Amino acid sequence: MVDLVEAEEFPAGIYQLETSDPVLGGPPNEATKAGVDNIPHQQLAKRTRWLKARVDQLLASVVAGSTTVAGLLKLTDSVASTSTSTAATANAVKQANDNANGRVRNARTVSAGGLATGGGDLTANRTITVSDATQAEAEAGAITTKAMSPLRVAQAIAARLAARSVLGGGLATGGGTLGSDRTITVTAASQAEAEAGSVSNKAMTPLGVAQAIAARLAARTISTSGLASGGGALLANQTISVPDATQTEAEAGTIATKAMSPLRVAQAIAARLAARTISTGGLASGGGNLSANRTISVPDATQAEAEAGTITTKAMSPLRVAQAIAARLTGQNILAGNGLTGGGNLGADRTITLGTPSSIGDTTSNAVTSTSHTHEIGPTIARSATTITAGNGLTGGGSLAADRTVTLGTPSSITATSTNSASGNTHTHALSAATVGTLYSQVAIGAIGSCAFCHVDGGELISPNTTVAGSRLSYSNAGNASGSLGNHPSGTWACAGFIPANTASEERKTLWQRVA
């Protein structure tokens, strides 16, 4: 018997025998399907050899683990072991963690503050001390670094009290320092002193006050005058009487020794009113004496009476006045005259309107008709035949048959020789010396229109108004010595002086004006 040939390979798949495959043993060949029944067995054998080779490699590399070598470690539940080749289980970790949670770290520190001293980290037992003040320190009350026991507090209070006094003042006597009990005395005045009211060093009791009041009242009398009677000394109750007048006395109104009650006043008023009468006149009727309510009547005219306006025995209410006015207005008319329309009776608002005017022509006159009017054109109003003509310096104009515009003509340029003049459809202006000076003073050095004293290079003749580029000029002084600033102005410059040909360099200086 021969074994299958094994190789250290890992085939991607295992061949599945098909129903059409023949039962054929012998050496397997995947390409030709020879020994087809052994092909799956050989593939599985190859995978097995490949896996065994990998397991052998792993077993060869497994060693015991330590703090210096990576490897397998044995698990332990011990929380007291010092081994460096075992690993803690979850149970051991939990026990250690539970133990740690119940302890304080050595790095923690207990510190003292305020009146306490001592403390430190928790690597050893620590003591916190709060020092007790001495009696002398407690009584002095000056230090702030010690605490006070009840004894020291009592000693400090006693020292403070011994230095304090309670004294009697005013009506009080006695007292002394608070080192012991003291008595404050307020002496009560005697009856004689209370009634005399002269001492000022004793107090008054309620009895003394009552006695003093009784003595004062015995010396006082209540008297009456006018309508009042009675009274007397205040040693006993006294009666003040004010007699009430009778009805007869009240109605007569003649005595002056009695008072009037509300009833008597009402009776007196009624008697007076009964003797008085209210009478009417003019448009009013009614009235009578005032012993009872009376009515005064003023009759209101009817609408017919108001509109007729003939009776004199009745009054007019606002309604009757309005009705009378409306009746009067309805009978009156406002009429429109010549040139006007509208109008009517005054029973309602009316409008007077100016009639539509006729057109104004060259030949119309001032006239009015029944519903219209017209006007004459006065001699001061221009007609269409009138013409407006543009004079010197102006353009435009024409007849007044249409709107016309007169426009100032385009002015000519102002030069140094221009004058104040107007001709044709243009004009010009003269420049005064003051204006030229003002304009020049506003021109910056180096700007167009400014002047500068400059040196010019070259040797040709330079006549007035000859222009050169600013790059040929250099700002200079007026002396004969050679030299310049070396700064070249910009733009184009015109000669305002004269430089002969072939002159020395130091003499080629003159006045220039920038023109562009």
Side-chain angles (χ1 to χ4, degrees):
M1 182 181 69
V2 180
D3 293 332
L4 291 172
V5 178
E6 300 180 39
E8 190 178 318
E9 298 175 1
F10 197 92
I14 304 299
Y15 180 76
Q16 175 182 296
L17 293 175
E18 302 294 340
T19 56
S20 58
D21 289 335
V23 178
L24 183 64
N29 188 314
E30 294 181 26
T32 63
K33 293 295 190 292
V36 66
D37 289 347
N38 286 325
I39 290 176
H41 304 303
Q42 187 181 50
Q43 290 173 332
L44 290 174
K46 289 179 179 179
R47 284 191 175 186
T48 301
R49 180 174 288 278
W50 184 90
L51 290 172
K52 182 178 183 303
R54 298 298 178 273
V55 171
D56 291 343
Q57 289 176 357
L58 290 175
L59 291 176
S61 62
V62 172
V63 296
S66 67
T67 58
T68 59
V69 177
L72 298 177
L73 295 175
K74 180 181 179 182
L75 298 179
T76 178
D77 282 337
S78 175
V79 293
S81 172
T82 60
S83 171
T84 60
S85 61
T86 58
T89 64
N91 180 50
V93 173
K94 182 178 184 303
Q95 293 180 59
N97 187 59
D98 291 343
N99 184 39
N101 286 338
R103 296 176 179 271
V104 178
R105 298 177 183 175
N106 289 341
R108 294 287 174 82
T109 300
V110 175
S111 302
L115 301 180
T117 59
D121 61 47
L122 297 182
T123 57
N125 293 332
R126 302 299 178 184
T127 300
I128 303 297
T129 304
V130 179
S131 301
D132 184 21
T134 65
Q135 180 175 352
E137 292 169 337
E139 293 176 352
I143 66 172
T144 59
T145 57
K146 293 186 179 181
M148 296 274 280
S149 66
L151 173 61
R152 296 296 183 247
V153 172
Q155 291 169 339
I157 293 173
R160 289 289 188 278
L161 292 176
R164 296 288 184 269
S165 297
V166 58
L167 303 176
L171 301 180
T173 59
T177 68
L178 296 180
S180 60
D181 295 338
R182 303 297 178 185
T183 301
I184 303 296
T185 303
V186 179
T187 305
S190 64
Q191 180 176 354
E193 293 170 334
E195 293 177 352
S198 57
V199 300
S200 60
N201 58 355
K202 294 185 179 180
M204 294 280 280
T205 63
L207 174 61
V209 172
Q211 292 168 340
I213 292 173
R216 289 289 187 278
L217 292 176
R220 293 289 182 269
T221 299
I222 185 168
S223 302
T224 59
S225 63
L227 302 180
S229 63
L234 296 180
L235 285 172
N237 294 332
Q238 304 294 337
T239 301
I240 305 297
S241 298
V242 179
D244 184 20
T246 65
Q247 181 176 352
T248 302
E249 293 170 337
E251 293 176 352
T254 56
I255 66 171
T257 58
K258 293 184 179 182
M260 297 273 279
S261 66
L263 174 61
R264 297 295 181 246
V265 172
Q267 291 168 343
I269 292 173
R272 290 288 189 278
L273 291 176
R276 293 288 182 268
T277 299
I278 183 169
S279 302
T280 60
L283 301 179
S285 62
N289 68 48
L290 298 180
S291 59
N293 295 332
R294 303 300 177 184
T295 300
I296 305 297
S297 298
V298 179
D300 184 21
T302 66
Q303 181 175 353
E305 293 170 336
E307 293 176 354
T310 56
I311 64 172
T312 60
T313 58
K314 293 185 178 181
M316 296 276 280
S317 66
L319 174 61
R320 297 297 182 245
V321 172
Q323 291 168 340
I325 292 172
R328 290 288 188 276
L329 292 176
T330 302
Q332 303 296 320
N333 294 301
I334 182 169
L335 303 176
N338 284 340
L340 303 174
T341 61
N345 69 54
L346 297 180
D349 294 339
R350 302 301 178 185
T351 301
I352 302 295
T353 304
L354 182 66
T356 303
S358 301
S359 300
I360 299 175
D362 289 341
T363 61
T364 56
S365 61
N366 295 323
V368 64
T369 65
S370 60
T371 60
S372 183
H373 68 282
T374 188
H375 298 273
E376 178 185 354
I377 299 177
T380 60
I381 298 178
R383 290 168 169 78
S384 59
T386 303
T387 299
I388 183 169
T389 303
N392 284 340
L394 304 174
T395 62
S399 72
L400 296 183
D403 294 339
R404 300 301 178 185
T405 301
V406 176
T407 305
L408 182 66
T410 304
S412 301
S413 299
I414 298 175
T415 66
T417 60
S418 61
T419 60
N420 294 324
S421 64
S423 61
N425 59 3
T426 187
H427 70 280
T428 188
H429 298 272
L431 286 177
S432 67
T435 301
V436 173
T438 300
L439 292 174
Y440 185 74
S441 66
Q442 297 173 352
V443 178
I445 297 300
I448 294 174
S450 65
C451 294
F453 198 82
C454 296
H455 172 273
V456 62
D457 59 13
E460 78 275 21
L461 169 69
I462 304 294
S463 302
N465 289 326
T466 300
T467 58
V468 301
S471 58
R472 291 187 58 191
L473 302 178
S474 298
Y475 292 113
S476 181
N477 59 20
N480 287 328
S482 176
S484 65
L485 291 176
N487 296 332
H488 302 291
S490 302
T492 301
W493 293 73
C495 179
F498 173 75
I499 300 176
N502 301 316
T503 55
S505 175
E506 63 269 16
E507 296 178 358
R508 296 185 64 78
K509 303 174 184 178
T510 190
L511 186 65
W512 296 80
Q513 183 179 28
R514 183 176 176 181
V515 294

